[in-house]
Amino acid sequence: MHASRLSRRAVLAGTAAAAALTTVPPLQGRAHAAGVTAATPSYRWRNAVIGGTGFITGVLFHPAVRGLAYARTDIGGAYRWDERAARWTPLTDHLGWDDWNLLGVESLAVDPAHPDRLYLALGTYAQAWAGNGAVLRSEDRGATWTRTDLTVKLGGNEDGRGAGERLLVDPRDSGTLWLGTRHDGLLKSSDRGATWAVASGFPATASASGQGVTFLAAVGRAVYAGWGDGDGTATAVNLYRTTDGTTWEPVPGQPTGTSAKVPIRAAHDRHTRELYVTYADAPGPNGQSAGSVHKLATATDRWTDVTPVQPGASDTFGYGGVDVDARRAGTVVVSTNNRWADGDTVFRSTDGGRTWASLKDVAVFDVSETPFLDWGEDRPKFGWWIQALALDPYDSKHLVYGTGATLYGTRDLRRWAPRIRGLEETAVRRLISPPAGEAHLISGLGDIGVMYHERLTASPSRGMATNPVFGSATGLAQAAAKPAYVVRAGWGDHGNGAYSHDGGRTWAPFTAQPDIAKNAPGPIATSADGGTLLWSFVHWDGTKYAAHRSTDNGETWSEVSSFPKGATPVADPADPTLFYAYDTDTGTLHASTDSGRSFTARAGGLPSGDDQFQLAAAPGRSGDLWLSVKWNGLYRSTDGGVTFAKVASCWASYTLGFGKAADGADYPAVYQVGSTETITAVYRSDDAAGTWVRINDDAHQWGWIGEVITGDPRVYGRVYLGTNGRGIQYGEPV
C-alpha cells in the first residue's frame, strides 16, 4: 500500500477550473455488445471483515457536532463515523473504474459553521502516468456529492500523505476554500470548491519533486500554511500566514535546522492562542530520523521548543500527529513517527508542553476484535506510522490515532482498542473459496499476508497466517482433488513459501526454497492431487526468473527451464499431470503433460505485452481454459490450449472466476470484472459466457477491481471480489 517516490513535472497552467459533475463519474464508453441480458439482479454487497489493514492518514472530529468524525486513507477512500452504530460508513465507493486514482484521499475539510458540509481532495498519485485530482463537495455529510476535476495532480499515496490537512474552509468566509498542493503551489476557490485558481500572493515557489504545502490551519481569522520544500538552513522558511486572505508572509522567528526541516501538522489552542507544530527531517511516513515540536504564541510571534523527547543516534524518529483539547487550555497530544528502536508513542501534556507523559507506558490493548494485530511481544503493540491523531472536542479522554494497519481509540487514556468497524483498506491479491470445510474464503493480501476466514462477518480469529508470517502474499493455491492441501507464497519473515494440510487453518514453511525465492517470490500452483508444486519468480522491479518444481512438498526443488519465465502457473483441476502457463511476452499458451517437468508451446498469436493478463481453469473440467486479456477481450479453449476462440459477449475482461452453477445449469457460474456494454463492472454468467448480467451498481464500484474475483462453489450467486484499497467485497443475490 505504499508508493515509491517518483519525480514529475508541474502541470498547472493558469486557472485550474472545471465544470462540476454530479454523483457518478464517467466510465469507459463502448458500443453495446451482443449477448448481454437486459435484466439486472439485485445484489447486496458487504465487506468480508478484517478490520483496517491499511494506513489511516487523517482523522478529523467536527468541532461543532458531537460524535461526528471523518477519516481518510491513502488508497481506500474516505469514511464518516456513525456514533450510534459505532462504525465507519464508506463515502467514496461510487468512484468507478476510470476513477481508480481518486481512491487516495489527499485531504478532507469540514465547515464549522455548516455541519452538513464536507469536502474531499482526491488523487492517489502525482506521477505523470496518473490522472489529475478532483474535489468532491457534499451538503449532506457525504451521502451525495458534486465534483470538480482539477488540472493538477494530488498524492494521497505519496510520501507526505500523513501530513496535515491540505484542504481548508477559510475561517473568515465559508464560501472560500484553500487547497495546498505538492507541486503546484496554493490554490483558492471563491465559490465553495466549484472552481479553483492559483492563489495570488503566496510567496513560496513550487517544486516539481518536493512536498509543497504540507498543511493549512485556521488560527482565529488567520490561515497558516506549512511549507515542506525548505532546506532546513537558518534562512529557510517553512511556515507562512495570511491575515486578510490576500497577502502572505513568513512567520517570524520560526525554528530551523534538520529537526525542523518539514512541518508535518499543526493544531491551535484557542484558549491560550498558541499554535503547536510538529516537525521532521522528511515528510514520512518512512525515512524520518529527526524531529521536534514547537509552539507559537500567535499574539507575540514568540516560539518555544516543547519537544517531548529528542531523537538520538540510536533512537531516530520524527514527530507526526498533534491535537489540542478543545475543553482544557494547555492540554495537547503529539505522536512520534517512524520510531523503530523504542516504538512509536503518543505524548500528552497538560501544561502547554512543559512536561509530557508517554501514553504507551500505561497502555493496555485489546485487539480481540481484530486478531491480526496481535503480533506477539517482539513487535510494538502501540503501532507505527502514527501521523493521524485526534482528540474529541466534546470528550477530553476520547483520543484516536491511526497507524499503518488500523485506528486505535481510548475513552480513558489507558485502555485502547481498534475503532475500525466498517473501515476496510486491504489491497487484495489472491482469493480461494474452498469446495468444502469450515472456511468459505482464504485470502492473500498486500502487506498482511494470508488469512483464513471462518466467518465473513468477523475478523479471522487466527489473524495472519503464521509459520512464516508474510508481509504481502504473491501466490495462493489449493489442490482441486485434495482441498485440505493449500500452498502460499509471499514475502515472509522465515521463508517465502508454506503449505497447509488442514485447508489453511495452520501452516508450515517449506523445508527448503530456491535461492531466487528469497528476493523474488511469485505465484505458485499445486497439481490437483497436491503431488507437484510449481513456483514462478518475479522480482518487484519486474525481472522474471525460471520457475522451479517440487514433488516432495517443498523439500527439494528443480528448475524448469522450458516454463516461460515469470508466467503464472495454472494447474488442471481434473488431471494432476497437466499444468498451463500463458507467456504474456509472446502471446503463447504453454502446457505440460508430465506433471510440470517440461512445457511446450500450444496456441500462439494471442494478445501479448501485458503481465496482468490472466489464465483461469474451469473447475471439474480438464483443459477448459479462460484467458482474460483486458481490453483485448476474453478467450476460451476447451482443448487444453491447443486452440482458443474469442468470446463474443464481452469486449474487455480483466479478471475471471467461477462459482456454484445455477439451478438446472450444467456449467459453473462465471464471474468477471470486464465490459460487456458501456461500462467496466462486475458481471455474472449462468450459461458459460453466452450472456451476462451486471451484479454491482453505481453506488458500489470501488475504483480499480481488476486483480482477482472468485465465486463460492457452495453458494450459488455469492461472489468474492478483490479491491485495491477497499478490502474484500462479497455480493449475494437478494
Side-chain angles (χ1 to χ4, degrees):
M1 298 182 185
H2 316 309
S4 59
R5 184 67 171 167
L6 301 173
S7 63
R8 57 167 292 274
R9 61 181 176 83
V11 296
L12 182 65
T15 301
L21 304 177
T22 56
T23 312
V24 180
L27 296 167
Q28 284 182 324
R30 198 71 165 193
H32 185 86
V36 181
T37 59
T40 299
S42 179
Y43 257 67
R44 180 186 182 187
W45 289 93
R46 290 173 286 179
N47 269 114
V49 175
I50 300 175
T53 75
F55 187 24
I56 312 299
T57 54
V59 178
L60 184 63
F61 283 101
H62 198 287
V65 181
R66 181 187 291 271
L68 179 60
Y70 299 93
R72 59 177 166 96
T73 66
D74 54 1
I75 63 171
Y79 296 79
R80 181 185 64 245
W81 177 250
D82 184 333
E83 180 75 6
R84 180 173 297 180
R87 65 184 297 112
W88 295 96
T89 300
L91 302 178
T92 48
D93 282 356
H94 68 281
L95 294 170
W97 181 267
D98 287 348
D99 288 315
W100 66 268
N101 191 52
L102 300 184
L103 265 291
V105 185
E106 182 81 287
S107 186
L108 52 84
V110 297
D111 187 339
H114 299 275
D116 291 338
R117 292 181 182 175
L118 174 65
Y119 303 90
L120 300 179
L122 306 179
T124 309
Y125 298 109
Q127 316 308 324
W129 44 262
N132 292 335
V135 171
L136 299 187
R137 56 194 190 277
S138 175
E139 294 280 357
D140 51 17
R141 304 184 184 185
T144 60
W145 297 99
T146 302
R147 168 175 162 177
T148 291
D149 290 318
L150 302 173
T151 61
V152 304
K153 299 179 187 297
L154 304 180
N157 195 32
E158 300 277 4
D159 287 349
R161 58 194 182 275
E165 301 305 332
R166 293 173 165 94
L167 184 63
L168 180 71
V169 176
D170 190 277
R172 301 158 55 94
D173 176 15
S174 288
T176 298
L177 274 71
W178 302 91
L179 174 61
T181 73
R182 294 164 178 269
H183 312 303
D184 302 292
L186 181 66
L187 305 184
K188 183 179 182 180
S189 172
S190 299
D191 53 12
R192 293 192 48 243
T195 60
W196 293 86
V198 174
S200 61
F202 189 70
T205 302
S207 167
S209 60
Q211 283 293 307
V213 178
T214 56
F215 67 75
L216 295 167
V219 179
R221 294 171 63 83
V223 175
Y224 285 70
W227 184 251
D229 288 350
D231 58 12
T233 64
T235 58
V237 176
N238 56 37
L239 191 63
Y240 295 90
R241 72 180 170 204
T242 180
T243 57
D244 60 9
T246 301
T247 58
W248 291 82
E249 63 176 356
V251 177
Q254 58 190 266
T256 59
T258 301
S259 65
K261 181 179 178 181
V262 181
I264 304 299
R265 287 178 173 264
H268 179 232
D269 188 332
R270 60 183 178 85
H271 301 287
T272 64
R273 300 174 66 186
E274 293 173 322
L275 181 71
Y276 292 84
V277 184
T278 56
Y279 293 90
D281 60 339
N286 284 314
Q288 294 177 338
S289 58
S292 59
V293 183
H294 298 260
K295 70 175 181 179
L296 169 69
T298 58
T300 63
D301 286 337
R302 178 176 177 270
W303 286 89
T304 305
D305 187 338
V306 293
T307 307
V309 173
Q310 295 289 344
S314 61
D315 187 17
T316 60
F317 59 92
Y319 280 92
V322 59
D323 206 357
V324 297
D325 192 332
R327 305 171 68 85
R328 298 181 179 181
T331 297
V332 59
V333 288
V334 299
S335 68
T336 63
N337 186 72
N338 205 48
R339 190 184 192 187
W340 297 102
D342 194 44
D344 278 313
T345 187
V346 173
F347 289 103
R348 180 174 182 263
S349 174
T350 58
D351 55 12
R354 287 190 293 273
T355 61
W356 297 87
S358 171
L359 298 184
K360 183 176 69 172
D361 295 344
V362 296
V364 177
F365 280 84
D366 178 3
V367 296
S368 57
E369 187 172 321
T370 51
F372 78 92
L373 292 170
D374 186 4
W375 296 324
E377 295 304 322
D378 60 326
R379 300 182 183 235
K381 276 192 178 294
F382 213 74
W384 73 99
W385 286 9
I386 303 176
Q387 294 186 293
L389 179 65
L391 265 170
D392 188 337
Y394 290 89
D395 183 348
S396 297
K397 293 187 177 181
H398 183 199
L399 175 63
V400 296
Y401 69 87
T403 76
T406 192
L407 185 75
Y408 284 114
T410 181
R411 295 279 184 173
D412 61 6
L413 302 180
R414 182 175 178 272
R415 292 171 295 178
W416 298 84
R419 296 289 185 264
I420 206 70
R421 292 180 186 173
L423 198 161
E424 300 285 349
E425 202 196 350
T426 320
V428 185
R429 299 291 176 253
R430 301 286 187 270
L431 294 173
I432 291 175
S433 185
E438 175 188 31
H440 279 253
L441 183 66
I442 305 172
S443 59
L445 311 166
D447 293 344
I448 56 169
V450 170
M451 291 194 178
Y452 177 91
H453 304 257
E454 307 99 323
R455 293 186 294 157
L456 300 176
T457 55
S459 187
S461 65
R462 294 171 179 81
M464 290 188 293
T466 58
N467 197 24
V469 171
F470 283 173
S472 290
T474 60
L476 183 63
Q478 185 172 43
K482 188 181 178 182
Y485 185 69
V486 188
V487 293
R488 60 187 173 99
W491 297 93
D493 58 353
H494 294 93
N496 289 347
Y499 66 91
S500 172
H501 282 306
D502 55 13
R505 290 167 57 90
T506 61
W507 297 85
F510 294 143
T511 303
Q513 64 181 17
D515 287 342
I516 191 58
K518 299 175 183 177
N519 299 313
I524 194 169
T526 174
S527 59
D529 62 1
T532 302
L533 301 178
L534 276 179
W535 196 354
S536 183
F537 302 103
V538 183
H539 195 264
W540 62 267
D541 65 4
T543 304
K544 303 173 183 179
Y545 300 91
H548 283 66
R549 173 180 181 267
S550 176
T551 57
D552 51 16
N553 199 37
E555 291 188 21
T556 60
W557 297 86
S558 58
E559 182 177 311
V560 183
S561 59
S562 57
F563 184 93
K565 290 183 178 180
T568 298
V570 175
D572 190 280
D575 186 339
T577 68
L578 300 180
F579 284 90
Y580 311 97
Y582 186 66
D583 187 346
T584 59
D585 291 335
T586 64
T588 304
L589 191 284
H590 293 255
S592 171
T593 59
D594 56 5
S595 299
R597 292 181 182 86
S598 62
F599 282 77
T600 57
R602 290 189 173 177
L606 294 164
S608 61
D610 194 314
D611 289 339
Q612 300 304 310
F613 293 163
Q614 295 184 13
L615 181 68
R621 289 159 170 78
S622 182
D624 191 346
L625 306 177
W626 297 72
L627 180 63
S628 296
V629 284
K630 292 190 171 182
W631 50 85
N632 294 293
L634 178 64
Y635 290 77
R636 184 185 178 192
S637 172
T638 56
D639 55 13
V642 176
T643 61
F644 276 88
K646 191 169 186 179
V647 177
S649 58
C650 65
W651 61 268
S653 181
Y654 299 93
T655 184
L656 180 140
F658 305 92
K660 183 178 181 179
D663 288 344
D666 60 0
Y667 198 84
V670 184
Y671 299 91
Q672 75 161 335
V673 174
S675 301
T676 68
E677 40 187 322
T678 59
I679 60 173
T680 299
V682 186
Y683 294 91
R684 189 191 75 225
S685 174
D686 294 332
D687 56 6
T691 58
W692 299 90
V693 291
R694 183 187 178 191
I695 58 174
N696 71 323
D697 54 48
D698 289 350
H700 299 90
Q701 299 195 77
W702 317 287
W704 193 83
I705 50 176
E707 184 79 21
V708 61
I709 191 171
T710 190
D712 193 309
R714 290 177 273 175
V715 181
Y716 167 70
R718 182 188 288 174
V719 59
Y720 306 97
L721 175 67
T723 74
N724 188 48
R726 275 291 288 121
I728 304 165
Q729 301 288 336
Y730 73 99
E732 296 178 299
V734 294

